Amino acid sequence: MSYWVNESVFYHIYPIGFCGAPRVNDGETVCRLDKVIDWIPHLKSMSINAIYFGPVFKSTVHGYDTDDYRVIDNRLGTNESFKHICDELHKNGIKVVLDGVFNHVGRNFWAFKDVCEKGNSSQYCGWFQNLNFGGKSPYGDSFSYEGWHGYYDLVKLNLKNPDVKNYLLDSVGMWMDEFKIDGLRLDAADCVDPDFFKALRHYTKSKDSNFWLMGEIIHGDYNRWANPEMLDSVTNYECYKGIYSSHNDKNYFEIAHSLNRQFANGGIYRSIYTYNFVDNHDVNRVASVVRNSANLENIYTTMYCMPGVPSIYYGSEWGIKGEKNNTDYDYPLRPELNVSDIQDNALLAHIRKLGKARTSTEALKYGSFENVQIRNEQLIFKRSVDSQTAYVALNLADNNMDMGFNADGAYLVDKLSGKSYQVNNGYVNIDIPAHSSRILVTSNTPTLEDVELEETKAETAPVAETEKKEEPVLPAWGTLGKHRHFKGGEYEVIALAKHSETMEDLVIYRELFGEGKVWARPASMFYQMVNIDGNLVPRFKFIG
């Protein structure tokens, strides 16, 4: 796994749409993609340090019908103009990842055109899958061939042919050597011959050990493609669906299950640093999918804080909409945008905070994963490294929520709001505003803001030494034995437990007098201060 990917926040651009290029290549060369340089300040304001460009190689229509792997599409510019773009991005600390469409080519691909012209005398007949001169194609050719998923404008390559493999590897080498690209996203990776991926990995890693290979995988076991012999990463479509669906259905159990299945101790994808997203050039914009736009911020918090690398699809950072339809198909998902279109709204401000939180928090970049507490409308999970733990708390309810859980550290500091919470004997109670989230990082000190607030209180309301009251102390987290309720009843804590469905911490205790009944109470209530006549006292006090 490439170290730089762990440190990254991606921005995904579909160039032909982003640039407003003609839908069908008109042959005119216009350096439209140069405008991405004007976007660099905007990208850096979100802590973006890697761009995944959709297809940039010369094509006839949408970019996935490649005409030439070694030339920039003339609708976007020239090789020279794109080299300048790469240089400027690299100078600004932004990595460049290109779309490698190696499963198929367009009908105007130079080698396929040679077959069309020369028939079975073409030296390139062996370059294409299931080419047969005993029939005709839907386009009226004097031969048949395999089209990707039945689309005959996408001609499937024969990746077992050594000449094809060498041509593609040499093309990748050109982009690495001359443009210093940092990685490839492999289109339709589930259809590509695994031996080609093995060759691609060996070739690229021998040139640059940090070169990143990420495959587009929609279904199946990600380990088939992301492993030490093939790719570094894959698109995480399972969590893409789980994130928006959990928020739409008010059911955090769905995404919590996927995250646990994938990344918890024993998770099936713990060794894969997945490419995470909430929309892209092939699926409806998340702002069009989410039923309540108030949940967009939580959707992005989930994506930024889960294991793997987060990615923003261009324009979605300020909430633009777009849905497929039967007339324009995918084009509404791929609009032309200019710097002047950027809207500096609340969602963009939140995403900027998320970028800073992720890039400055080791636990979010490298940490293990564990669900802490799950409810239909609330979720808390934690990410941990040796030196730090981050607790991610989400609330999609229409009302504020108070939640408690056992936690590390002396304080938890919210990376989004700056608010801090004191951890009392290994337990903390937090508030989460409606449709909001907190990224709570362990700290030995409260925030400066809270320190200044306490100093102000001390100056405005001085207390004589003789009038100072002893600070109430909560019982230590996990302490068994006798406790006295603030109303006077005495109980014995006999065990701690986990709710089997929500993972919520429970305290199991029994009456010491009366019928000796056994009770279970959420730990968030047991380890809680209550206000009695203006004084804060523990709900339960340890008495031995």
Side-chain angles (χ1 to χ4, degrees):
M1 184 172 4
S2 300
Y3 173 81
W4 68 262
V5 175
N6 298 62
E7 300 284 336
S8 296
V9 177
F10 267 87
Y11 198 70
H12 172 195
I13 292 175
Y14 178 77
I16 292 172
F18 173 76
C19 293
R23 292 187 182 184
V24 177
N25 198 323
D26 57 4
E28 184 179 356
T29 298
V30 181
C31 295
R32 294 180 173 93
L33 191 56
D34 286 9
K35 73 177 184 179
V36 78
I37 295 173
D38 297 332
W39 284 62
I40 290 176
H42 172 63
L43 301 180
K44 294 176 75 170
S45 78
M46 295 185 289
S47 303
I48 299 294
N49 50 16
I51 288 186
Y52 150 42
F53 285 109
V56 297
F57 306 146
K58 188 174 185 296
S59 74
T60 301
V61 185
H62 44 66
Y64 291 98
D65 53 341
T66 309
D67 294 349
D68 194 326
Y69 285 101
R70 300 183 182 181
V71 178
I72 288 291
D73 194 296
N74 52 278
R75 292 170 289 176
L76 304 177
T78 64
N79 283 21
E80 290 72 22
S81 68
F82 188 67
K83 187 175 187 302
H84 175 64
I85 291 170
C86 291
D87 288 344
E88 289 301 308
L89 291 171
H90 284 140
K91 287 178 186 176
N92 282 276
I94 299 174
K95 304 286 188 182
V96 176
V97 172
L98 301 186
D99 214 331
V101 188
F102 301 141
N103 177 69
H104 48 262
V105 295
R107 286 178 53 83
N108 284 326
F109 180 62
W110 56 271
F112 188 76
K113 288 175 67 176
D114 191 81
V115 174
C116 291
E117 293 170 6
K118 299 177 182 177
N120 57 10
S121 64
S122 171
Q123 62 179 312
Y124 301 110
C125 289
W127 279 44
F128 306 101
Q129 193 78 14
N130 295 323
L131 191 72
N132 187 342
F133 283 92
K136 287 192 174 184
S137 77
Y139 280 91
D141 304 300
S142 60
F143 54 88
S144 62
Y145 58 90
E146 183 177 338
W148 176 72
H149 283 266
Y151 293 99
Y152 287 91
D153 55 336
L154 302 176
V155 187
K156 188 165 175 60
L157 287 168
N158 176 14
L159 294 173
K160 290 190 177 297
N161 184 315
D163 292 334
V164 174
K165 181 179 69 175
N166 291 334
Y167 165 75
L168 293 175
L169 294 182
D170 288 346
S171 298
V172 172
M174 185 204 81
W175 294 103
M176 292 179 70
D177 293 340
E178 297 183 23
F179 298 80
K180 310 302 180 186
I181 67 168
D182 303 283
L184 288 171
R185 176 263 195 190
L186 287 313
D187 183 63
D190 60 319
C191 300
V192 173
D193 177 30
D195 288 336
F196 175 76
F197 280 153
K198 292 176 183 178
L200 179 65
R201 181 184 184 91
H202 180 267
Y203 178 81
T204 56
K205 299 293 185 181
S206 65
K207 293 175 68 68
D208 179 359
S209 61
N210 284 321
F211 195 81
W212 189 60
L213 297 172
M214 181 267 289
E216 180 199 23
I217 297 295
I218 299 175
H219 306 290
D221 181 1
Y222 299 162
N223 290 297
R224 289 182 58 191
W225 295 277
N227 57 60
E229 291 187 328
M230 294 169 60
L231 307 180
D232 298 299
S233 182
V234 292
T235 50
N236 196 340
Y237 266 90
E238 177 184 341
C239 286
Y240 144 74
K241 189 267 180 186
I243 291 173
Y244 78 75
S245 180
S246 289
H247 289 84
N248 278 350
D249 296 340
K250 294 192 173 183
N251 178 23
Y252 271 135
F253 285 93
E254 180 180 358
I255 188 60
H257 172 76
S258 289
L259 292 173
N260 186 71
R261 172 180 177 271
Q262 291 190 355
F263 302 118
N265 188 23
I268 60 175
Y269 301 144
R270 286 189 69 197
S271 62
I272 303 174
Y273 210 73
T274 57
Y275 180 85
N276 303 325
F277 59 97
V278 293
D279 52 13
N280 62 29
H281 65 296
D282 283 329
V283 300
N284 292 336
R285 293 270 182 172
V286 68
S288 294
V289 173
V290 67
R291 293 174 189 156
N292 184 348
S293 61
N295 289 324
L296 278 172
E297 292 186 9
N298 277 11
I299 283 174
Y300 279 101
T301 299
T302 306
M303 190 261 288
Y304 266 74
C305 295
M306 64 183 278
V309 60
S311 177
I312 296 288
Y313 185 45
Y314 78 103
S316 286
E317 66 268 27
W318 67 87
I320 71 169
K321 296 183 177 183
E323 295 181 85
K324 298 181 181 183
N325 60 54
N326 293 327
T327 302
D328 284 332
Y329 305 102
D330 291 337
Y331 285 104
L333 314 176
R334 310 168 179 182
E336 178 182 5
L337 290 179
N338 297 296
V339 168
S340 58
D341 296 316
I342 297 171
Q343 297 178 29
D344 205 356
N345 58 15
L347 178 60
L348 178 54
H350 181 71
I351 287 174
R352 285 171 174 156
K353 289 182 180 180
L354 289 175
K356 290 179 180 178
R358 176 182 159 78
T359 54
S360 65
T361 306
E362 294 301 292
L364 296 182
K365 294 182 287 189
Y366 296 95
S368 60
F369 175 87
E370 180 184 342
N371 282 319
V372 173
Q373 200 168 130
I374 314 166
R375 301 177 185 172
N376 283 338
E377 296 183 321
Q378 292 81 37
L379 172 64
I380 300 175
F381 62 82
K382 74 175 182 177
R383 306 286 311 283
S384 299
V385 292
D386 291 340
S387 58
Q388 185 185 70
T389 298
Y391 298 89
V392 182
L394 303 133
N395 176 26
L396 60 78
D398 295 329
N399 54 284
N400 297 352
M401 288 297 299
D402 291 326
M403 299 183 71
F405 53 95
N406 54 312
D408 301 325
Y411 295 89
L412 298 183
V413 180
D414 182 13
K415 288 274 190 170
L416 299 177
S417 69
K419 188 172 183 178
S420 68
Y421 301 86
Q422 187 168 4
V423 180
N424 291 301
N425 297 315
Y427 206 79
V428 66
N429 282 279
I430 66 168
D431 64 301
I432 319 174
H435 303 284
S436 188
S437 56
R438 297 200 184 281
I439 302 173
L440 302 158
V441 179
T442 50
S443 174
N444 291 323
T445 60
T447 62
L448 178 62
E449 177 181 305
D450 285 347
V451 170
E452 291 173 343
L453 180 61
E454 290 302 317
E455 290 174 350
T456 301
K457 288 180 180 178
E459 291 172 1
T460 57
V463 179
E465 194 69 31
T466 57
E467 297 176 341
K468 286 185 179 178
K469 296 180 181 180
E470 183 179 347
E471 288 292 325
V473 179
L474 283 169
W477 165 254
T479 301
L480 305 182
K482 295 181 182 179
H483 292 70
R484 181 178 292 117
H485 190 265
F486 71 91
K487 292 182 179 179
E490 293 186 2
Y491 303 83
E492 181 183 12
V493 175
I494 57 177
L496 299 177
K498 285 275 190 185
H499 193 294
S500 63
E501 300 301 316
T502 69
M503 304 301 292
E504 185 172 14
D505 295 301
L506 303 174
V507 177
I508 312 300
Y509 59 105
R510 66 179 178 86
E511 296 176 344
L512 290 176
F513 303 98
E515 300 178 15
K517 291 181 179 178
V518 176
W519 302 89
R521 183 187 289 262
S524 58
M525 295 179 64
F526 192 93
Y527 296 101
Q528 185 180 45
M529 307 298 287
V530 294
N531 191 319
I532 305 299
D533 298 327
N535 297 312
L536 288 178
V537 299
R539 183 184 295 275
F540 287 89
K541 182 178 180 181
F542 179 68
I543 57 175

